[in-house]
Amino acid sequence: MLKSFAVLSALLLSPAVMAQNAPPAPPSGGVPQPEQIFAFLDANKDGFIAKDEAQGPLVQYFANIDTDKDDKISMAELKAAMDAMRPPEPTQGGSD
């Protein structure tokens, strides 16, 4: 499943997808935050991304992100999916 999230991340953040009606990138030019993605996709502003509001690769991975299977993605579910996509922090190795 982590591989699926990695694919979702790559597709969701690809320049082609981002250039077409995408949430604005943060000032740092990095990855959009879950709040930005949510604000962009939650068309009816009910606090959830419904299947008919999903776009791009989010449509394909909707069932994986909708962990409680209520046919909508909450902010918590989107954040969890994005956290799962984040690469692990490098460990600091060294001798004392």
Side-chain angles (χ1 to χ4, degrees):
M1 185 151 100
L2 187 56
K3 184 177 180 181
S4 296
F5 287 131
V7 171
L8 171 64
S9 175
L11 293 174
L12 183 61
L13 302 174
S14 71
V17 173
M18 294 302 290
Q20 209 175 54
N21 296 326
S28 65
V31 176
Q33 296 300 306
E35 294 81 7
Q36 292 172 303
I37 295 169
F38 219 85
F40 176 74
L41 293 177
D42 183 15
N44 64 2
K45 305 301 179 207
D46 67 350
F48 297 96
I49 300 171
K51 282 185 178 182
D52 64 340
E53 294 173 319
Q55 296 180 23
L58 192 60
V59 173
Q60 182 179 357
Y61 294 100
F62 194 94
N64 292 355
I65 298 170
D66 178 23
T67 55
D68 63 5
K69 307 302 178 206
D70 63 353
D71 290 330
K72 54 190 176 184
I73 295 174
S74 67
M75 177 66 77
E77 288 170 324
L78 182 62
K79 284 182 177 182
M82 292 182 74
D83 286 345
M85 292 186 297
R86 187 171 298 132
E89 295 289 325
T91 57
Q92 297 286 331
S95 56
D96 291 334

